[in-house]
Structures are given as structure tokens and as C-alpha cells.
Amino acid sequence: MLKSYLSELEGNLMASLKRDDPRGKTVSFFVTCMIDTLHPETGMAAVEVLEHLGCKVVFPKGQTCCGQPAFNGGYWHEARQVAEHYLDIFDDAEVIVTPSGSCATMVIHEFPRLFTDDRERLTQAERLASITWEFTEFIVEGLGVTDLGGKLAEACNFAFHDSCHGLRHMGLKSAARTLVRNIENAEVVELPAADVCCGFGGLFSVKMSEISGAMLDEKTAAICSTPAQVLGGDISCIVHINGGLAKQHRGERMLHIADVLARAIKQEG
Amino acid sequence: MKLQANQFIDAARIALQDDTLYQSVKKATGKAYNGRISTMSETSPEHGQAMRQHAAYARRRGLMGLPDLLELAEQRLTENGVTVLWAVDAAEACAHVQQLANEHGVQKVVKSKSMLSEEIGLNHALEEAGITVVETDLGEYILQLSEEAPSHIVTPVIHKSKESIRDLFVEKINMPLTDEAAEMARFARQVLREDFLTADMGISGGNFVIAETGTLCLATNEGNARMVTTMPHVHVAVVGIEKVIESLEVYAMLAQVLSRSATGQKMTVYNHMINGPRRPDDPDGPEHVVVVFVDNGRSRIYGSTYAEALACIRCGACLNACPIYQQMGGHAYGWVYPGPIGSVVTPLLNGPENASPLPHASSLCGACKEACPVDIDIPRMLLELRHDLVEMGVSDIRFDVGMQAWMRGMTSQMAFMLGSKAASITLRALPIEKMLPRPLSGWTDHREFPTFAPKTFHQLWKERNNEQS
């Protein structure tokens, strides 16, 4: 580990994470298990936006989950099985796009760690890591599009909750804000403590539900302090936060960024 | 210090109920958090990141050569007239200090702040031998009076309000009633002055030991360490073996990121660089200086995938940045080192089975790694510790079974489809909240259970494609 840090600083590791230009390639859409079962309309919204941008989108059937719940719980054997299923389903993908910074992190940063002693799977995992993008990152950095040309029927303020994995592993912060800022009639404002965790953390919210709940209470208080529509890039945080708001009878205030982008491009006129 | 990390969840539950604790911790961590960001990025955020990267690199390079550095440090310290002792564990470290106290006829010890001394239970060992020990760091002094353990690496009384300290001083050291913090501190200093004048031995920790020059470095703010290290005729420093660094240049770098990350100061008020006992022409200083290098499990960590945990410079930035620590302070963690780095170090030094909740005491948000001035990948190590716990069989059987079932559902398209459909129907039809068993029912105390969509994305996609074709 000490050695690998030194070599990373010398640039060896960073070089291997560089991704090819994804323009013109077929997008294999990884919807994520949570969007698939809880908010499929958000998945459809993301597809609509990608198609609006001229992407050919395919949906590899039989996809399930990236395995993160098991991986984060320490169940690496189980995580490996699920990850292998993922690798098989997406094996022939040219580009993978997923509307989740967290699942993208799992595929890009953690898959290679799961297969350190399985050369064949490692090669497969490293290739997939190199073609995987989070949804907003793909649009802004992959396709080079910052303005979708969308507009909203009425003026609306938007604030963002920065999901931890997307923010700290993927460096996502500005892409989603840029896309929303460029929608006609949309204004971006800042949420207090936008970069503080909502307390979800997968099994953490079950194992340590009281601590997680206390963190959630701070997040919901911050969200209720702004009249803006709050957006996020990860359905897991959104479900968690909306679940907390609903429990407090304050209404589900959070939406996925894809929902708003899809709404904006339909109003384009 | 008695290890109680396995009671973390219960201790946390109690701590979360304490609003005074929450207010104190939230305020102090917030101040330190903002202070770190503003001083680290004083020139520019990029410069701050560059400093972190240099410091991270320097710490790892130093650790790579640690065995040689330790030998060099011993040689140079000895040349400077410092006695060097080695302790494989807490017992041997305490025995060394006890023996030194015996040799020098010590009756009273004054101490400056040292987390390692807490780790090895040094105060207790000395008191057992009939020696009076006085903590002279104001925070540690307060804790000694109130018979509590520190709850933060740098600001040990972060959990206490000014009012509770006032009441303690009135009760224990007969302070005339005052609400002025400065007046309270002045009174404590006055009481402590007497102890400095009568102590036979001073004990400090060590933030760094510079190998090439044989220098013991301390970063402090109150001035008490200057007296601890100069007034008594014997000065003993207990230092973890991982604290040895290569050179003055490295020290200059680390001293900057340490003070900025710990307290948001560009430099601490005092930066002690001790090069040995008093020389014949020195007007003052101790006649004997002893450095006790303590292993106590560190070489075991050194030889593992967790070696980078040893890069820690104990600044406490990860505690201040941690949204979990912020909720409840450090006592719930049940040992000397709380917060994110504690959740790594406590299981490593005591065995993961003796601190099994700690690696799970994180949402893996990564705020700790982001704050760490030496870029320790704490989330990575927490994940690996979780994996170790599962491999060791130290896991909750309910999760073991659940994970098996989940894995089956997620590795077969058919099972996934049927499973999500069944979940959707069941969860929509039944009053699920009232039926959930522990540990799942904890979830719904703070959140509504999510509703499954009537149709999955798989179904919507299929329908769309049928319409299109």
C-alpha cells in the first residue's frame, strides 16, 4: 500500500484510469437496481436525455446490481459473484453510462480491487472501468455538452445535495450544476452543507440506524431551509432523504437530476 | 485505558440523546473544520492540495524506510546525550518509566499532553507505584479532575461545556466563581505552577522525532510543555515508533500541515525542538532526557495492508470532518483514539473482534480522507476491516443469511425479476413498517420505507421497445 501510493503519485496509476473519447459510441445503460425497482421513471428520463443528445442507447437485459451493498458490508465473496454477473452482462459494451455516482464508483474504483487475484476477471473489470461514466459527467465531460437547450415552463430555483461517492471518488460537482444552470428559467442556488453525507451509507443506515437518523435529520433540516427544488445524482440518497422528509410529513422534496433534465428538454419548443 | 469499543452502538445511542454534548461538539468541530480549510488554502486551494500531497508523500517515504530511520534516530539521539529505550508493548513502556522514576527518586510527575500515554495507561501505572501524576495541558487537567477520558485527539474536552468546567473547578480546586473562560484558565495555571515547581520528572509525548539530527519535536499551544520539558531534572518522552521522520525539511513540511489541520493555526504557539539534556553552559533544562520508543502493535500494522494508518500525525482533522463524530463526540468509540482514524487504529491495535462495530461506524462518505493532511485512505481501510471481520466470522448471522439470499437474487435475471416483483406486491399490500424485524425496523424510526414502483425499468423498457417495433 505504501509503495502503491508512491507509484500513484508518480502518475502510473492515474494514467491507467484515463478514459477514451466516448462520442459516437453505443451507450449501454446501467439503470442500477434501485432505480430499476423504485424509480424506473428516472431511468427512462436519463435515457430520454441521452437519446435527445443523439446517443444510441441499449439496455443490456438481465442486469441487476453492481454488488456494492455486499462489498460495503464486507461480504466480498458475495460482492464478487454479483460483480461477475455484471461483467458478463456488460462484457461487450462500448460505453457504459449510469445515473449514479455511487454505482459508477463501484464499477470504476472497486471492481478492480475485487479481482486482484483473478487475472482474467481483472482485465475484464479494468476495461469496463475505463468505459464507465456517471450520467452528468458523461454529458459534460464525455460528450462535451454543457447546454441541453432545454427550458422550463416556469422559473424555478434548484439546489444540489452532493452525493458522497460522486463528489469524492468521481470529482463530480460542477457537471450537474452546469447542465441545470443552462436550462432556460432555471437558477442554481447553494444548499447549506451540500457536501455533508445524508447518513445513508447502505447497510450503515440499518446497522447504525440511530446515528444515520441523526445525520438525516440535519440534512432534511438543511433542505427545508431552502424553498429551492433540491436535486441529487444518486437515487439511494434521494430515497433516504425523501423517506426522512416523508416521516416528518414534510413531503418528498428531492428529485433526481435526470428527471429535471428530461422535463427541460421536452419544453424546448 | 479499558477497551469498550464493542459497546459502540449502545454508547452512541446514549450520546445521541445528549443535546449539550451535541451542541459542544458541533460548535468546536465546526470551528476547527473551517479553520483547517481557511489556513490550508490560505495561499490558494491548489497550494493547500499541493502541501497535502507533499506531506502524504513524505510520510509514506519515511515509513518505507522506518527500520533504518529508527536506528539512525537512536544513534543521533544517543550522540546528543539522550537515553533511548525501546518498549515492545504497553507493559514494557510503563515499566521503563516506573524504573526511571525509581532510579531518580521521583515522587511527582508533571505531564504534557500525550495520546500514547493514554494508550499505554501510563498514569495508572505510575499512580500504582505511588507517584503523583499531574496533567498540565489544560484540557487533560480538566479531565483528570473529572476522572474522564479524552474524547478528541487534539481537543480532549471537546465534549464539555464551559459551565461544567466552571462547576468542576469550583468543586475540585476551590476556584472563586467566575464565568470568564480566561479567568478560569488563569486560575488553573496558578494552581499548576506549584506542581511545575515541585515535580521531579516531566513526561511528554512526541509529535515527531527527526532522525538525522536526533531531535524530539513537540507542537503545543499552552506553554505547559515547555515547563514539563525544562523544569524537572528528568524529562521522559514516550513516542510511537511511527513518529520518526527523516529530516528537518520533512519536519518543516509536516509541522505546517499539522498545525493548520489540527487547529487552523499557521503555526502552533510553541514548537519545541529538543536536542538533548542541558549542556554545561546552559542556564536551565533537565539533566536527563529519555526517549522511550513504543511499538505496542505498530510493527504488526507496518507489515500489513494497513501500513498507511501509521502515516497519521494525530491532527484530528478527520474527527472534525466526520459527520458521525460530529453527532456524538468521541467517548462512544470506547478507546483512546475516536473518530475515523480511531475506527481503523482501535481494531488494528486491539484485534478487530474486540472493536467490531467500529469499522461499520461510517457511511463511507470520504470526508475523513478529504480532510486528512497526509491523505490516508480511511474508507478503504474501513472496508477492508469489514471484510476481515466477515472472514473471521465476526458478523451478524442475520446479515450473513440476508447477503446469501441477496446474492442469489442479484446473480440471476429470473430471480431478480421475480424478487423485485414479489417485493413490489408484498410491500404495497402489507403494513410493512409494523412487521419488520430488527435490525431492519431501526430504519423506519427515521424514514418511511421506500415504495416499489408498480413496474420495473426492465418492464418499462420492454414495453417501450414493443411499442416502437
Side-chain angles (χ1 to χ4, degrees):
Chain A
M1 267 310 147
L2 296 173
K3 254 198 188 117
S4 76
Y5 190 89
L6 298 181
S7 61
E8 182 177 343
L9 277 177
E10 279 151 16
N12 300 346
L13 213 101
M14 295 313 285
S16 67
L17 284 173
K18 224 177 147 205
R19 289 171 295 187
D20 290 337
D21 187 343
R23 281 174 294 191
K25 293 185 178 152
T26 299
V27 170
S28 291
F29 187 61
F30 171 39
V31 71
T32 80
C33 58
M34 286 189 83
I35 292 184
D36 197 353
T37 53
L38 301 175
H39 285 281
E41 74 288 352
T42 297
M44 274 301 165
V47 170
E48 282 165 20
V49 174
L50 293 171
E51 287 178 343
H52 170 82
L53 292 167
C55 297
K56 182 179 178 227
V57 182
V58 296
F59 179 68
K61 224 176 82 180
Q63 57 176 279
T64 57
C65 171
C66 62
Q68 191 177 170
F71 181 72
N72 285 1
Y75 294 89
W76 291 13
H77 168 74
E78 287 79 355
R80 215 170 279 133
Q81 305 289 314
V82 177
E84 283 180 11
H85 178 78
Y86 181 99
L87 294 179
D88 291 340
I89 294 281
F90 284 93
D91 193 37
D92 52 6
E94 290 176 16
V95 163
I96 300 171
V97 175
T98 183
S100 160
S102 185
C103 306
T105 296
M106 180 69 194
V107 174
I108 295 173
H109 296 283
E110 312 293 16
F111 271 20
R113 266 170 71 182
L114 275 176
F115 299 110
T116 42
D117 43 14
D118 182 341
R119 182 154 288 280
E120 215 168 295
R121 285 295 189 185
L122 183 63
T123 313
Q124 212 182 355
E126 280 173 345
R127 191 188 81 82
L128 293 198
S130 73
I131 57 164
T132 296
W133 300 77
E134 185 272 341
F135 171 67
T136 58
E137 178 199 33
F138 176 73
I139 297 171
V140 174
E141 286 171 36
L143 301 178
V145 174
T146 53
D147 189 345
L148 295 173
K151 97 177 192 199
L152 294 173
E154 286 171 35
C156 185
N157 284 345
F158 294 94
F160 289 86
H161 161 68
D162 293 303
S163 292
C164 301
H165 277 131
L167 178 69
R168 298 196 179 87
H169 285 270
M170 307 272 301
L172 303 174
K173 190 166 179 91
S174 61
R177 284 173 175 76
T178 303
L179 291 172
V180 171
R181 195 173 289 120
N182 288 333
I183 295 172
E184 205 180 320
N185 275 338
E187 200 73 50
V188 172
V189 296
E190 280 303 319
L191 183 71
D195 61 352
V196 176
C197 179
C198 72
F200 178 58
L203 282 183
F204 170 74
S205 61
V206 176
K207 285 195 170 182
M208 311 241 166
S209 59
E210 281 102 344
I211 303 173
S212 160
M215 293 159 74
L216 175 60
D217 288 347
E218 280 189 13
K219 183 56 73 178
T220 52
I223 286 175
C224 291
S225 76
T226 171
Q229 169 67 56
V230 180
L231 303 179
D234 257 301
I235 210 75
S236 49
C237 312
I238 295 171
V239 164
H240 186 237
I241 292 168
N242 278 342
L245 289 164
K247 189 83 188 176
Q248 302 160 18
H249 308 291
R250 290 158 117 167
E252 301 198 345
R253 296 267 326 266
M254 252 189 108
L255 283 178
H256 194 281
I257 170 90
D259 293 315
V260 171
L261 296 183
R263 217 201 296 159
I265 56 173
K266 284 176 196 158
Q267 292 277 339
E268 176 191 23
Chain B
M1 192 175 160
K2 198 170 162 240
L3 177 66
Q4 292 176 313
N6 274 345
Q7 279 80 56
F8 175 79
I9 293 180
D10 289 333
R13 190 173 294 134
I14 294 166
L16 287 170
Q17 303 300 320
D18 186 343
D19 191 54
T20 320
L21 172 69
Y22 172 77
Q23 298 297 343
S24 305
V25 174
K26 191 82 188 169
K27 190 174 152 199
T29 51
K31 189 168 169 247
Y33 181 86
N34 292 329
R36 173 181 58 81
I37 291 177
S38 64
T39 42
M40 280 299 284
S41 49
E42 188 202 9
T43 307
S44 68
E46 294 72 27
H47 181 251
Q49 287 305 322
M51 279 204 290
R52 274 183 81 226
Q53 216 169 52
H54 278 287
Y57 190 83
R59 277 303 278 146
R60 283 161 182 78
R61 196 186 51 212
L63 284 174
M64 292 273 285
L66 186 62
D68 292 338
L69 278 186
L70 283 165
E71 283 187 12
L72 180 62
E74 179 180 36
Q75 185 196 329
R76 294 288 154 84
L77 283 163
T78 310
E79 285 165 14
N80 289 346
V82 176
T83 307
V84 176
L85 299 172
W86 300 91
V88 72
D89 57 15
E92 192 178 8
C94 291
H96 278 322
V97 183
Q98 274 172 340
Q99 169 138 23
L100 288 164
N102 263 342
E103 279 168 21
H104 295 281
V106 172
Q107 297 189 335
K108 186 189 272 188
V109 166
V110 280
K111 273 185 73 201
S112 65
K113 189 168 158 34
S114 154
M115 291 307 287
L116 178 58
S117 75
E118 302 276 348
E119 178 188 322
I120 60 176
L122 183 57
N123 287 15
H124 182 69
L126 290 172
E127 282 159 3
E128 290 272 283
I131 296 162
T132 306
V133 181
V134 183
E135 293 285 355
T136 67
D137 171 87
L138 187 56
E140 294 287 346
Y141 179 61
I142 291 164
L143 295 178
Q144 194 176 27
L145 291 178
S146 64
E147 294 173 32
E148 286 177 281
S151 69
H152 188 285
I153 295 171
V154 173
T155 40
V157 287
I158 195 168
H159 60 285
K160 289 187 91 71
S161 65
K162 189 176 78 176
E163 290 70 29
S164 69
I165 295 167
R166 174 198 64 199
D167 296 346
L168 182 74
F169 279 5
V170 170
E171 188 201 329
K172 300 273 175 143
I173 52 172
N174 302 316
M175 179 184 75
L177 197 59
T178 174
D179 274 323
E180 293 297 318
E183 187 57 27
M184 293 183 208
R186 195 197 60 77
F187 186 81
R189 290 168 80 102
Q190 203 180 334
V191 175
L192 285 171
R193 189 60 48 125
E194 188 59 32
D195 291 313
F196 285 122
L197 290 167
T198 52
D200 320 287
M201 178 185 272
I203 296 180
S204 73
N207 291 94
F208 305 106
V209 167
I210 305 172
E212 70 168 10
T213 55
T215 308
L216 171 74
C217 305
L218 293 169
T220 67
N221 277 317
E222 294 173 14
N224 63 311
R226 177 120 325 161
M227 301 218 260
V228 164
T229 57
T230 54
M231 292 184 72
H233 61 274
V234 188
H235 167 213
V236 179
V238 287
V239 184
I241 53 168
E242 81 282 16
K243 295 293 186 76
V244 177
I245 57 172
E246 295 146 298
S247 61
L248 275 166
E249 284 75 16
V250 170
Y251 169 70
M253 162 55 58
L254 293 176
Q256 283 192 65
V257 296
L258 172 61
S259 51
R260 286 166 201 247
S261 302
T263 50
Q265 293 167 288
K266 281 191 263 180
M267 281 305 253
T268 42
V269 179
Y270 293 84
N271 285 281
H272 315 260
M273 301 181 75
I274 297 165
N275 284 302
R278 79 194 288 177
R279 290 161 298 197
D281 54 343
D282 284 343
D284 54 17
E287 286 134 49
H288 307 280
V289 176
V290 183
V291 170
V292 183
F293 281 121
V294 182
D295 185 318
N296 205 31
R298 284 161 177 73
S299 354
R300 206 174 52 237
I301 299 176
Y302 188 73
S304 73
T305 56
Y306 299 102
E308 70 167 318
L310 297 173
C312 177
I313 56 173
R314 302 279 187 263
C315 70
C318 62
L319 281 61
N320 301 328
C322 176
I324 292 160
Y325 181 91
Q326 287 169 14
Q327 294 295 335
M328 57 189 199
H331 282 153
Y333 291 82
W335 203 50
V336 184
Y337 306 106
I341 191 67
S343 295
V344 172
V345 168
T346 305
L348 289 178
L349 289 177
N350 298 285
E353 70 281 11
N354 298 313
S356 61
L358 296 187
H360 293 281
S362 166
S363 64
L364 303 173
C365 78
C368 47
K369 179 180 190 288
E370 185 179 74
C372 178
V374 291
D375 199 25
I376 298 175
D377 197 344
I378 294 174
R380 173 190 73 81
M381 289 190 282
L382 293 173
L383 274 165
E384 286 190 17
L385 281 164
R386 292 176 186 188
H387 176 53
D388 290 353
L389 284 166
V390 169
E391 293 285 294
M392 291 164 74
V394 188
S395 50
D396 187 328
I397 181 77
R398 294 168 299 188
F399 287 105
D400 297 347
V401 173
M403 272 303 162
Q404 278 293 322
W406 172 85
M407 180 191 85
R408 296 222 168 79
M410 290 300 170
T411 47
S412 136
Q413 187 191 342
M414 188 61 87
F416 179 71
M417 303 278 224
L418 291 174
S420 49
K421 191 163 270 178
S424 171
I425 293 168
T426 321
L427 291 171
R428 295 163 76 80
L430 297 172
I432 194 74
E433 285 201 19
K434 298 191 181 75
M435 300 165 64
L436 285 174
R438 281 264 153 210
L440 286 173
S441 62
W443 217 80
T444 51
D445 291 343
H446 285 265
R447 323 133 182 94
E448 296 291 343
F449 206 77
T451 322
F452 278 70
K455 286 180 182 172
T456 63
F457 184 88
H458 269 85
Q459 286 169 285
L460 293 183
W461 184 267
K462 201 171 154 197
E463 287 173 13
R464 190 180 93 138
N465 284 10
N466 287 345
E467 278 165 28
Q468 279 174 0
S469 59

